[in-house]
């Protein structure tokens, strides 16, 4: 009897796991953006279409959110982040699913563009 109860409990838990797994939408991954920096500014180019939401994580740990009409972002580096790494990613709605990009990292530079 115990073996039957254990088997039923295991089956029920496995079924619940499949239902829970099926209920979670899959996230599609867009390529990470290409970013470069110079003259205390930065430029990022993504593979999005339409309105793009950018997430920029500064060296301090704070996150800046920018919305652009297309796949590019051009913005200033805060003085406190010059010479420090910055992480960038973006998301956009492709008409049926929100696409999330990978993350790239670059250095906010005050000198020449790189």
């Amino acid at each position: 009897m115990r073996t039957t109860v254990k088997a039923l409990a295991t089956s029920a838990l496995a079924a619940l796991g499949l239902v829970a797994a099926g209920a979670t939408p899959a996230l599609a991954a867009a390529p990470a953006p290409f970013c470069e920096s110079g003259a205390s500014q930065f430029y990022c180019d993504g593979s999005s279409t339409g309105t793009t939401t950018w997430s920029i994580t500064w060296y301090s740990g704070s996150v800046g959110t920018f919305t652009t009409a297309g796949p590019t972002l051009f913005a200033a580096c805060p003085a406190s982040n010059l010479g420090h790494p910055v992480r960038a990613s973006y998301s956009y709605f492709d008409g049926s699913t929100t696409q999330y990009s990978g993350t790239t990292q670059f250095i906010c530079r005050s000198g020449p563009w790189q």
Side-chain angles (χ1 to χ4, degrees):
M1 181 71 169
R2 279 189 169 186
T3 304
T4 303
V5 172
K6 279 177 134 178
L8 288 174
T10 302
S11 295
L13 288 174
L16 286 174
L18 290 175
V19 170
T24 305
L27 297 178
F34 165 79
C35 298
E36 60 184 345
S37 176
S40 301
Q41 301 171 335
F42 68 94
Y43 167 84
C44 290
D45 188 19
S47 295
S48 58
T49 56
T51 303
T52 304
T53 301
W54 293 87
S55 178
I56 306 297
T57 304
W58 304 108
Y59 175 72
S60 65
S62 65
V63 177
T65 303
F66 300 86
T67 301
T68 60
T72 58
L73 171 65
F74 185 75
C77 291
S80 61
N81 283 323
L82 292 175
H84 295 291
V86 175
R87 291 188 315 268
S89 62
Y90 62 93
S91 64
Y92 67 99
F93 185 72
D94 70 3
S96 61
T97 307
T98 299
Q99 302 285 326
Y100 297 92
S101 78
T103 302
T104 194
Q105 184 170 301
F106 62 95
I107 302 291
C108 270
R109 301 184 190 287
S110 59
W113 281 86
Q114 294 183 10

